[in-house]
Amino acid sequence: MEVTARAPGKIILSGEHAVVHGSTAVAASINLYTNVTVSIPTAGNDDSLKLQLKDMALEFSWPIGRIKEALSNLGPPSSSTPTSCSIESIKSISALVEEKNIPEAKIALASGVSAFLWLYTSIQGFKPATVAVTSELPLGSGLGSSAAFCVALSAALLALSDSVNVDKQHQGWKMFGESDLELLNKWAFEGEKIIHGKPSGIDNTVSTYGNMIKFTSGNLTRIKSNMPIKMLVTNTKVGRNTKALIAGVSERTLRHPNAMSVVFNAVDSISNEVASIILSPAPDDVSITEKEQKLEELMEMNQGLLQCMGVSHASIETVLRTTLKYKLASKLTGAGGGGCVLTLLPTLLSGTVVDKVITELETCGFQCLISGIGGNGVEICIGGSS
Ligand SMILES: Nc1ncnc2c1ncn2[C@@H]1O[C@H](COP(=O)(O)OP(=O)(O)O)[C@@H](O)[C@H]1O
Ligand SMILES: C[C@@](O)(CCOP(=O)(O)O)CC(=O)O
Ligand SMILES: [Mg+2]
């Protein structure tokens, strides 16, 4: 039996980090996906669990007996009850990951492999399987690869469990029903906790549901955009770690609680305004231009507040300076500290200017892409035979 799931990455239009502290944020899915295929053998003598990270040509394999021994404290799997990984289980899982001697240059993968082991054993138990992963998303760049990985993995694993109802006859990509989406989003959040430390849940939620969402304290409101939004995404290619950046903001908050609370409140107002601008009707080009100008100003304000939180970076500042030469507004997206920067491309901006700004950014060594935003969330495709 084989199931493939694909889940999109995301951009955060406003509110990253502050959303971890209860402020509102606005995010949209992008048309770059992570694919996870889970193959469960029906018979045979291969008694191991394999994780193949195809893009990196890496394979990790554990004898099922070894996993059982390490996680002997786990009861039978309960796929309908999302459970947090205890400190004891995370220690056992870390030991299983350490045995694989991940090369130092790729050690950031360790948290993803740990999340994999937790989601797999919690949903499927101690069954042998091969899990293959590919991704169009750059890892650790602010486009939510960690959430897309957890969402696609949870979807494929749940599709093979008794907890969700999937039409096994249906050919091609299909979506889950509303209650199944809620369940898989909760599982993905448990995986994201292992990777991010203290996630807000916005990334797994937008990857699960797709489109555009407003998110506050675990609650989502779907947003139907009333204007075309075109974003240039510039990857500075400066590596960083979301978990460390979130922890840094929390430490700053402990040192300066009053000042940071004002910063988070300002971000909350910005995100609510961003959402209402996107939602409000725009009957003609003039009103679209007015809305774009307001969004640009709010992006600049949000970027200033992200600097206050200490998550900007010299490479991000270079992108800001470069795009400003063309009168374009930018802000970092995701955790910052490097990673990706968003630049709003107004509808009436000429293609020549877009080409010029991209050329100049690429000359600095950055990578640019114009992503489609607001597509479907997670989807699955049943394949193979039982
Ligand atoms: N396709 C994948 N395969 C394995 N691990 C992944 C994959 N995608 C993401 N991860 C895990 O998520 C981490 C990146 O997450 P994070 O630092 O939150 O950045 P982002 O979510 O912005 O890409 C990776 O270092 C890895 O541990
Ligand atoms: C910084 C944060 O707001 C977004 C992190 O996004 P990413 O992992 O950098 O793609 C954290 C979170 O909301 O969980
Ligand atoms: Mg992440």
Side-chain angles (χ1 to χ4, degrees):
M1 184 74 197
E2 189 171 286
V3 172
T4 298
R6 68 172 178 207
K10 60 92 228 268
I11 50 173
I12 297 186
L13 297 168
S14 70
E16 48 276 273
H17 286 292
V19 68
V20 175
H21 300 267
S23 302
T24 304
V26 178
S29 59
I30 55 172
N31 61 350
L32 296 174
Y33 299 85
T34 294
N35 283 258
V36 173
T37 300
V38 180
S39 317
I40 304 225
T42 41
N45 49 13
D46 186 3
D47 205 18
S48 64
L49 175 62
K50 291 193 182 72
L51 173 63
Q52 301 172 334
L53 304 181
K54 299 270 190 189
D55 308 313
M56 289 152 262
L58 287 173
E59 176 171 304
F60 306 110
S61 175
W62 298 265
I64 288 295
R66 173 69 191 108
I67 300 179
K68 264 190 199 162
E69 174 197 49
L71 293 170
S72 56
N73 57 323
L74 291 188
S78 175
S79 52
S80 58
T81 319
T83 326
S84 303
C85 188
S86 65
I87 293 176
E88 192 191 4
S89 298
I90 202 67
K91 277 190 193 148
S92 311
I93 285 176
S94 300
L96 289 170
V97 176
E98 272 161 33
E99 285 164 18
K100 298 297 137 196
N101 295 319
I102 299 178
E104 195 48 44
K106 299 202 168 133
I107 203 64
L109 289 172
S111 60
V113 179
S114 297
F116 160 76
L117 283 170
W118 177 247
L119 292 174
Y120 187 88
T121 52
S122 302
I123 299 174
Q124 286 293 329
F126 301 124
K127 279 188 205 156
T130 299
V131 178
V133 185
T134 58
S135 185
E136 296 162 356
L137 290 158
L139 271 54
S141 301
L143 299 183
S145 77
S146 59
F149 174 63
C150 293
V151 169
L153 181 59
S154 303
L157 294 173
L158 283 170
L160 289 163
S161 77
D162 299 329
S163 299
V164 304
N165 244 327
V166 286
D167 172 5
K168 301 232 165 45
Q169 306 311 319
H170 182 289
Q171 302 280 304
W173 292 107
K174 58 176 167 252
M175 286 188 246
F176 278 94
E178 201 56 33
S179 63
D180 294 339
L181 283 177
E182 208 177 301
L183 175 66
L184 88 83
N185 191 30
K186 285 187 180 149
W187 270 118
F189 182 61
E190 294 305 330
E192 186 79 327
K193 269 157 84 175
I194 296 175
I195 304 173
H196 277 196
K198 193 188 167 211
S200 64
I202 189 170
D203 288 7
N204 49 283
T205 301
V206 73
S207 179
T208 299
Y209 293 92
N211 302 307
M212 203 178 279
I213 64 164
K214 186 166 114 163
F215 188 91
T216 322
S217 305
N219 298 311
L220 92 140
T221 313
R222 294 174 208 224
I223 296 180
K224 184 137 184 23
S225 174
N226 263 319
M227 62 186 287
I229 299 180
K230 203 163 148 193
M231 289 286 179
L232 173 67
V233 179
T234 303
N235 188 352
T236 61
K237 297 197 272 175
V238 172
R240 85 296 174 284
N241 172 301
T242 300
K243 190 175 183 176
L245 286 151
I246 293 179
V249 174
S250 294
E251 282 156 22
R252 190 172 278 209
T253 307
L254 285 176
R255 284 193 298 274
H256 311 287
N258 295 339
M260 289 295 275
S261 133
V262 176
V263 169
F264 295 145
N265 278 334
V267 174
D268 186 66
S269 304
I270 289 172
S271 295
N272 281 308
E273 211 179 319
V274 165
S276 64
I277 291 167
I278 292 171
L279 276 165
S280 68
D284 51 39
D285 278 0
V286 178
S287 43
I288 289 178
T289 301
E290 277 170 11
K291 283 166 69 156
E292 285 169 346
Q293 284 166 352
K294 284 188 190 161
L295 283 182
E296 285 178 322
E297 198 163 34
L298 290 164
M299 282 170 69
E300 276 171 4
M301 288 160 71
N302 193 174
Q303 173 61 30
L305 295 165
L306 286 158
Q307 276 157 4
C308 290
M309 294 177 215
V311 295
S312 196
H313 183 269
S315 61
I316 294 173
E317 304 294 326
T318 305
V319 178
L320 301 180
R321 265 200 319 275
T322 308
T323 57
L324 198 58
K325 281 199 242 167
Y326 298 88
K327 299 194 169 42
L328 298 173
S330 305
K331 69 172 274 292
L332 69 84
T333 190
C340 288
V341 180
L342 295 182
T343 304
L344 184 78
L345 298 176
T347 341
L348 300 178
L349 186 71
S350 82
T352 325
V353 175
V354 177
D355 290 346
K356 271 192 188 162
V357 73
I358 290 178
T359 306
E360 192 166 339
L361 288 165
E362 288 180 344
T363 310
C364 300
F366 305 141
Q367 227 164 29
C368 294
L369 66 102
I370 296 174
S371 71
I373 64 176
N376 282 354
V378 66
E379 291 175 307
I380 53 160
C381 183
I382 311 282
S385 56
S386 53

